[in-house]
Amino acid sequence: MPNPRVLAFDVFGTVVDWRSGIIRESQRHLATIGRPDIDAAAFADAWRSHYQPAMAAVRDGKRTFVILDVLHRETLEAVLADRDVDVQAIEAALLEDWTRAWHRLDPWPDAVEGLTRLKARFPIVTLSNGNIALMLNMARRAGLPWDAILGAEVTRTYKPSAEAYTTTAAILDILPGELCLVAAHHSDLGAARGAGLLTAYVDRPMERGGAPAPDRDQQEAWEWQTDSLITLAEQLGC
């Protein structure tokens, strides 16, 4: 298998542990608004469950493109309303800070070392649905050494649209087959493969707190399969 020219990374769940961070931040904010009775883990899972439907409205042309921060704010308010929380009674600054919890996620223990080793041989870029400010803030906080922050705000479309992958390759001035998507999600990798990309799967069994991945039935024989970015670096000769 020839090595790719560039590695592009899914970020939420693949590079950073979104669930633990959203639980931590939601627990703090739920206490602040006087609702410590709401289970923070269930809240985080419910918030994440709105992720794909919100992006689908953009992908399907039902609304013009908006960045993920906007969708996160809208879906946060929806999850609060579902739990009989009066969103209008919450200070705007608190809602804004809660939305930005997605900017403050911790990397998986292997992420920084693995990315650093991979970067020594390959350009590494984001291919995330997260917007540029979100990815930049996360990278600065977590020490993620990206060469470039690409993704939905650059391509103006959300994964798993084929254009999200092919436009990223075009921006990098390479062929789709010279770009490898690294992701912890079979559905993401399947869409990338359909667009002509190489694929590398990183198993993250704790992404959903140990719950089975909803796309486990979409598993294929990816070009590379591993359980950490450090091991991926070893597989790619880094």
Side-chain angles (χ1 to χ4, degrees):
M1 176 62 60
N3 280 341
R5 290 181 60 188
V6 180
L7 301 176
F9 290 77
D10 172 69
V11 177
F12 298 114
T14 301
V15 177
V16 299
D17 175 7
W18 65 264
R19 189 172 187 268
S20 295
I22 298 304
I23 291 173
R24 178 186 65 235
E25 299 261 353
S26 295
Q27 190 169 38
R28 175 169 64 91
H29 286 303
L30 287 167
T32 300
I33 66 173
R35 292 300 306 272
D37 57 299
I38 296 176
D39 182 83
F43 189 94
D45 292 337
W47 195 359
R48 180 66 171 182
S49 74
H50 285 262
Y51 181 68
Q52 286 296 340
M55 293 186 296
V58 176
R59 287 195 302 264
D60 297 344
K62 296 177 181 177
R63 65 182 297 182
T64 57
F65 181 85
V66 294
I67 62 173
L68 191 59
D69 274 345
V70 172
L71 299 181
H72 275 157
R73 174 62 177 271
E74 293 173 355
T75 53
L76 169 62
E77 294 186 10
V79 175
L80 287 167
D82 287 344
R83 284 151 179 76
D84 298 319
V85 174
D86 182 3
V87 177
Q88 300 303 316
I90 302 175
E91 292 184 3
L94 188 151
L95 288 172
E96 179 65 16
D97 186 67
W98 203 339
T99 301
R100 287 178 172 265
W102 295 91
H103 294 222
R104 299 187 292 269
L105 303 178
D106 297 331
W108 293 111
D110 59 277
V112 174
E113 179 182 345
L115 289 174
T116 301
R117 287 178 60 173
L118 290 162
K119 180 185 172 78
R121 184 171 182 185
F122 302 97
I124 59 171
V125 304
T126 66
L127 206 173
S128 170
N129 287 322
N131 48 286
I132 294 170
L134 189 165
M135 289 289 110
L136 178 61
N137 291 337
M138 180 193 295
R140 294 284 294 174
R141 178 182 180 276
L144 305 175
W146 305 121
D147 285 304
I149 294 174
L150 305 178
E153 191 174 359
V154 179
T155 63
R156 309 304 286 181
T157 188
Y158 284 113
K159 297 185 297 180
S161 296
E163 293 79 6
Y165 309 101
T166 57
T167 303
T168 299
I171 289 168
L172 293 167
D173 194 25
I174 59 176
L175 298 173
E178 297 175 315
L179 180 63
C180 179
L181 177 69
V182 182
H185 312 114
H186 298 300
S187 55
D188 195 0
L189 292 169
R193 172 172 280 177
L197 273 64
L198 297 169
T199 56
Y201 173 70
V202 183
D203 190 34
R204 297 296 191 194
M206 293 308 296
E207 179 186 356
R208 297 168 183 82
D215 63 353
R216 59 192 180 280
D217 60 330
Q218 299 180 48
Q219 182 173 0
E220 300 180 32
W222 311 115
E223 280 79 18
W224 294 275
Q225 301 190 57
T226 183
D227 59 359
S228 80
L229 295 182
I230 294 173
T231 307
L232 179 62
E234 293 169 354
Q235 291 178 355
L236 289 171
C238 302

